Amino acid sequence: MLSSVMMLLGLGFMRLLSGTGLDVSLAVLLVVFAVSFIAASVLLDRMSDNLAASFMGGAAVALSVTIFVVALVSGVYFLLDRMPLPGMDALLTGFAICLIVSLVINRLTLKI
């Protein structure tokens, strides 16, 4: 599952950097940012008494979640639009690399 998400993120960043534009409307982006900002700010506010730090941390988390969602959706659009372009060999190679990296990430995070 993790390697599939990593593969979609990589393809999404490829699509975003190619200059085709955003596949998600601005309204959806603002809703994703607002919901994740509120959730992160409330969670960070419960952990510390510094209100400014919880707002800044909430904004950082919200920006990360928004970029994650945009890249994921762009990766799906990349697969739907340009499936013959990268070729099945390139996709399987990328998926195999993502499988190995996800295993390494899982093992490293479980040891810490």
Side-chain angles (χ1 to χ4, degrees):
M1 179 84 170
L2 181 63
S3 59
S4 299
V5 170
M6 287 172 60
M7 186 72 179
L8 284 176
L9 285 174
L11 292 174
F13 282 121
M14 283 175 51
R15 182 173 171 100
L16 287 173
L17 294 176
S18 69
T20 58
L22 292 176
D23 298 316
V24 183
S25 70
L26 185 61
V28 173
L29 287 178
L30 288 175
V31 168
V32 169
F33 184 82
V35 168
S36 55
F37 176 72
I38 291 169
S41 294
V42 167
L43 288 174
L44 291 174
D45 188 40
R46 289 180 187 260
M47 291 174 25
S48 71
D49 293 331
N50 192 353
L51 187 63
S54 67
F55 280 152
M56 289 189 321
V61 169
L63 183 64
S64 302
V65 168
T66 305
I67 290 172
F68 176 79
V69 168
V70 168
L72 200 62
V73 169
S74 295
V76 171
Y77 276 111
F78 185 85
L79 276 180
L80 294 177
D81 288 345
R82 299 188 181 181
M83 186 59 178
L85 183 65
M88 200 56 145
D89 289 339
L91 287 177
L92 287 176
T93 303
F95 187 69
I97 291 170
C98 287
L99 280 172
I100 294 168
V101 169
S102 67
L103 176 76
V104 170
I105 290 172
N106 261 341
R107 289 296 164 191
L108 287 178
T109 56
L110 291 176
K111 296 289 183 189
I112 294 176

